[in-house]
Amino acid sequence: MADASRALLPSIEEHDDLANIEKYIAQGGYETLKRVIKEMSPDDVTNVVKEANIKGRGGAGFPAGQKWSMCADRYPRYVLANADESEPGSFKDRKLLEGDPHRVIEGMILTSYALGVNLGYIYMRGEFFHIYDQVEHCLLEAREKGFLGKNILGSDFSLDIYPHPGAGAYICGEETGLIESLEGNRPYPRLKPPFFPAAVGLWGQPTILNNVETFSDVTLILKNGAEWFLKLGTEDTSGTRLIGVSGHVKSPGLYELSPGITLREVIYDVAGGIRGDRQLKAVIPGGISAPVLTPDEIDTTMELGKLGSIGTMGGTGGVIVMDETVSIIDVMLNASNFARHESCGQCTPCREGTPWMNDILRRIHDGDGRIEDIALLLDICVQIHGRTVCPFGMAPAVWPIKTFLIKYYPEIKASIEQKKAVVLPVEQAYLKQDEGYEAMGGPGNFRLKEQVLG
Amino acid sequence: MALAFSPDSQKRAEEILARYPAEHKKAAVVPLLHLAQKEWGYISPDAMSCVADLIEESPVKVAEIATFYPMFNKEPVGRHLINVCHTLPCALAGCSDIVTHISGKLGIGVGDTTEDGRFTLKKIECLAACDRGPVMLVNRELHTHLTPEKIDTIIEGLE
Ligand SMILES: Cc1cc2nc3c(=O)[nH]c(=O)nc-3n(C[C@H](O)[C@H](O)[C@H](O)COP(=O)(O)O)c2cc1C
Ligand code: SF4
Ligand code: FES
């Protein structure tokens, strides 16, 4: 491997035809599966993944090995790959499925071997037309080679994996929404508890569901060992992170980086800095659901735990960069349009709250805002937060709105007062940390409401 | 009039059904609705009945699913369905100019179909290609780094 600090993207960059199973095999593909089936017990496999301490790459960052260990002692069990990738700002799973689909499939087979699974599905968002066709073909190839089907490689382990399409609903990315969708029901997320599909999942059976990138990493962990994966990352986040940079940077794109890199380095070194050498105004570090960071907050590393500790999240690694020309109310309205459109409508706070917030933001945007609207928006955030069936009610329905509102309070206030979507100079647009919101408990709370509004 | 799949689609439908345990045929509803939409362009009540028969459910059950998902057209659409992404990263890349350009070129608003039935214009949420915005999906094809000139070429290339 030419570049020892990266693991997922180099092979895709070097070979443009890894979707062809012969090419994948020529690069050592499915060797790991052969070795594992011959030499390792299922429990050994789980233990290696646990040791590697890989945190899930689908947004929540839950340790995969731990999730696997929670599998209820019942059969049949199922494995699902979450390839719904619909989080605005995220485009990594597309790249992996376009460029290196067999690595994802191999990861699913290894997972199934570890957990005694005989049936699995790859749930792909409906708009992935060509990717669906390609993955369907790859699964057939893998079956012809004896990596799927009955008695895989002569063992007593049998497994079928099939592709399954979604049809344009973001909520199908939420794991229990995905399961409901796959079962052929309206994709309403399930009430928790039970908290984990590992206990009660597809058709009521134990189900392991992981993100596409997580499965790709599983293949590499079993190929190169837990130690290797731990060294690739940091103590907080093992392995590499796929970071997709979009928005106002000179070189938008997907980058594979050490989680130890800072957000500042991502923006200014990796992605070439801001277009036209303008000033940075705001950055969302992990897909639109992740709370926004101001220019004062970009010295954080991209470690999942670190981002969580400063009140945002690593999410899906979608870094959305906004320069001095954006109007924050424009951005908020856009995020809120998304939430309004994608709320599944199952529970009242989210179904009623997202359109209400959207209407308020629209009137501020259109010049009809009132100063009380800020308090009203925060109130609605409080009313939705923690009172919904699924995490959509927090992210992306509440977090982006709440954190933009708190951090960029000066510009929102100016937009209301001047009756239009204003663009303040960056220094005046947001609250500096020492000006207040840190002292008020950081971005995670609502106390600012009292502080700012009396 | 009852609708029936063409022989090719019928074969495909059976292939799809075989992917799910026999007692969970209902799981095939979304893939079969995609197949129906491919065959008839949109999901009519008759198409729903056809899918319902295959999964041994009532048409109402299928309607409940078909009406939930944005990708299923409940009305006929133009021969070419243009979906322009308007989510944040594409908005930062200038997608509103793109929508305005297409709208002006085709003489229709968002959600409308041209009189000759050639094009329908819609907006869509993030297509997972945010680094290449503005982007749009035309039928099954993703088009990236859109400019007015590029759009003219694409549209003129469609029957
Ligand atoms: C509203 C919502 C949307 C989600 N969308 C996705 C998605 O598109 N892809 C994904 O892998 N995970 C998504 N997730 C996270 C999944 O629920 C789940 O945590 C994840 O797929 C588990 O895989 P991992 O542990 O490998 O990360 C979403 C969660 C929520 C609440
Ligand atoms: S929080 Fe929103 S998206 Fe989640 S179940 Fe409730 S209505 Fe649906
Ligand atoms: S925002 Fe348009 S593709 Fe993601």
Side-chain angles (χ1 to χ4, degrees):
Chain A
M1 214 180 294
D3 183 351
S5 67
R6 302 193 307 152
L8 292 167
L9 294 186
S11 55
I12 299 182
E13 287 159 8
E14 282 159 36
H15 309 276
D16 58 8
D17 50 2
L18 290 175
N20 175 334
I21 199 165
E22 301 297 347
K23 300 292 158 60
Y24 181 68
I25 289 171
Q27 297 305 314
Y30 291 112
E31 278 307 314
T32 307
L33 178 68
K34 287 184 194 161
R35 184 174 47 78
V36 164
I37 287 187
K38 209 189 283 167
E39 296 173 5
M40 288 172 79
S41 76
D43 284 347
D44 289 346
V45 175
T46 302
N47 285 335
V48 170
V49 172
K50 260 192 185 159
E51 245 173 79
N53 193 23
I54 173 173
K55 295 182 178 172
R57 301 305 204 240
F62 193 85
Q66 200 180 326
K67 184 179 335 193
W68 294 12
S69 311
M70 293 181 335
C71 223
D73 191 18
R74 295 190 289 132
Y75 296 85
R77 293 169 167 181
Y78 302 105
V79 66
L80 301 175
N82 191 341
D84 195 52
E85 188 162 64
S86 308
E87 174 74 9
S90 176
F91 42 90
K92 64 193 182 64
D93 300 335
R94 168 194 284 281
K95 182 82 174 183
L96 295 174
L97 286 174
E98 277 176 352
D100 202 2
H102 281 292
R103 197 179 304 280
V104 182
I105 296 169
E106 189 172 358
M108 288 181 78
I109 304 174
L110 290 162
T111 306
S112 302
Y113 174 74
L115 299 168
V117 169
N118 306 117
L119 181 58
Y121 297 94
I122 305 179
Y123 187 106
M124 280 168 275
R125 58 177 299 175
E127 297 88 345
F128 277 176
F129 294 104
H130 293 293
I131 297 174
Y132 182 94
D133 292 348
Q134 171 166 297
V135 167
E136 185 170 55
H137 180 74
C138 290
L139 289 165
L140 287 177
E141 285 182 320
R143 178 179 304 267
E144 277 163 20
K145 294 276 179 197
F147 304 134
L148 280 174
K150 280 217 159 27
N151 301 108
I152 292 171
L153 301 168
S155 70
D156 54 11
F157 163 53
S158 302
L159 171 68
D160 289 314
I161 298 177
Y162 298 106
H164 185 97
Y170 173 76
I171 201 57
C172 296
E174 196 277 343
E175 54 191 8
T176 61
L178 185 152
I179 289 172
E180 288 291 325
S181 172
L182 181 41
E183 288 186 2
N185 303 320
R186 277 205 163 204
Y188 289 149
R190 291 179 180 171
L191 260 176
K192 288 109 194 148
F195 290 102
F196 294 101
V200 182
L202 183 63
W203 299 310
Q205 292 301 118
T207 301
I208 288 301
L209 181 148
N210 280 115
N211 172 258
V212 163
E213 184 185 349
T214 310
F215 281 119
S216 302
D217 278 337
V218 163
T219 307
L220 291 171
I221 288 167
L222 286 155
K223 178 175 179 200
N224 300 319
E227 194 60 26
W228 167 84
F229 195 75
L230 287 166
K231 282 211 192 100
L232 206 51
T234 65
E235 203 182 324
D236 177 279
T237 308
S238 54
T240 57
R241 286 201 65 201
L242 291 182
I243 304 288
V245 191
S246 64
H248 295 146
V249 289
K250 288 181 187 161
S251 311
L254 185 69
Y255 302 98
E256 182 173 17
L257 303 167
S258 162
I261 195 167
T262 66
L263 183 51
R264 180 183 301 280
E265 289 166 327
V266 171
I267 298 170
Y268 288 97
D269 300 339
V270 178
I274 312 286
R275 270 184 216 174
D277 290 321
R278 295 198 186 100
Q279 237 182 312
L280 174 71
K281 185 163 183 176
V283 53
I284 295 174
I288 207 150
S289 297
V292 64
L293 297 175
T294 69
D296 296 347
E297 297 172 302
I298 60 172
D299 289 310
T300 171
T301 63
M302 296 303 284
E303 294 163 297
L304 299 174
K306 173 70 187 168
L307 287 163
S309 75
I310 61 163
T312 182
M313 63 177 189
T316 56
V319 173
I320 308 171
V321 178
M322 291 158 265
D323 74 12
E324 64 192 47
T325 63
V326 301
S327 168
I328 296 299
I329 191 72
D330 261 348
V331 173
M332 288 172 73
L333 182 61
N334 187 294
S336 159
N337 288 342
F338 176 78
R340 177 181 196 146
H341 187 252
E342 298 299 342
S343 165
C344 83
Q346 179 180 205
C347 56
T348 317
C350 172
R351 182 185 61 236
E352 302 299 323
T354 45
W356 192 9
M357 288 200 287
N358 187 243
D359 290 342
I360 297 168
L361 289 164
R362 181 162 295 286
R363 77 172 175 241
I364 298 176
H365 179 270
D366 293 348
D368 296 323
R370 313 162 200 152
I371 199 69
E372 313 84 79
D373 282 344
I374 295 181
L376 182 56
L377 281 168
L378 285 171
D379 250 342
I380 302 170
C381 287
V382 175
Q383 299 298 339
I384 302 179
H385 198 271
R387 299 200 171 127
T388 56
V389 171
C390 91
F392 184 100
M394 297 182 287
V398 162
W399 282 341
I401 306 304
K402 185 186 85 174
T403 49
F404 269 113
L405 207 53
I406 292 177
K407 296 183 181 183
Y408 293 83
Y409 171 73
E411 187 171 300
I412 315 271
K413 187 160 165 264
S415 291
I416 295 175
E417 286 166 354
Q418 298 177 34
K419 299 204 168 298
K420 61 176 187 198
V422 304
V423 181
L424 290 184
V426 172
E427 302 72 35
Q428 298 165 26
Y430 65 96
L431 293 174
K432 308 293 171 294
Q433 288 188 348
D434 54 7
E435 273 177 19
Y437 81 88
E438 192 64 21
M440 293 167 199
N445 79 58
F446 296 96
R447 261 183 293 153
L448 185 108
K449 195 180 137 193
E450 286 89 22
Q451 303 267 347
V452 174
L453 305 165
Chain B
M1 197 192 73
L3 282 179
F5 277 125
S6 67
D8 277 355
S9 296
Q10 184 62 35
K11 201 169 140 242
R12 177 78 179 150
E14 276 151 27
E15 248 174 64
I16 290 170
L17 279 163
R19 293 173 177 177
Y20 307 94
E23 66 276 27
H24 298 299
K25 284 199 165 62
K26 198 171 65 174
V29 62
V30 168
L32 290 176
L33 283 167
H34 277 297
L35 189 67
Q37 182 151 297
K38 202 168 165 192
E39 182 118 344
W40 297 301
Y42 76 109
I43 307 292
S44 64
D46 284 342
M48 291 180 199
S49 299
C50 172
V51 170
D53 284 347
L54 285 169
I55 58 169
E56 295 162 23
E57 291 283 338
S58 69
V60 170
K61 178 75 206 171
V62 175
E64 210 177 81
I65 304 302
T67 52
F68 184 88
Y69 291 98
M71 280 183 78
F72 296 132
N73 309 317
K74 268 63 74 183
E75 305 281 334
V77 292
R79 271 204 302 292
H80 304 291
L81 179 56
I82 302 176
N83 272 304
V84 184
C85 173
H86 70 139
T87 314
L88 186 58
C90 280
L92 297 173
C95 70
S96 60
D97 294 346
I98 297 300
V99 175
T100 309
H101 180 78
I102 301 177
S103 190
K105 187 174 172 70
L106 299 179
I108 53 172
V110 174
D112 297 339
T113 300
T114 52
E115 251 168 49
D116 60 3
R118 248 172 100 202
F119 297 103
T120 299
L121 174 61
K122 289 190 180 178
K123 289 195 209 170
I124 195 167
E125 301 294 352
C126 181
L127 287 167
C130 324
D131 55 334
R132 294 176 283 164
V135 307
M136 66 180 180
L137 196 61
V138 181
N139 307 323
R140 291 162 48 99
E141 304 306 319
L142 181 73
H143 298 274
T144 63
H145 301 292
L146 296 176
T147 58
E149 300 74 51
K150 207 163 169 182
I151 284 172
D152 292 349
T153 315
I154 294 165
I155 288 184
E156 275 143 35
L158 295 167
E159 277 293 293

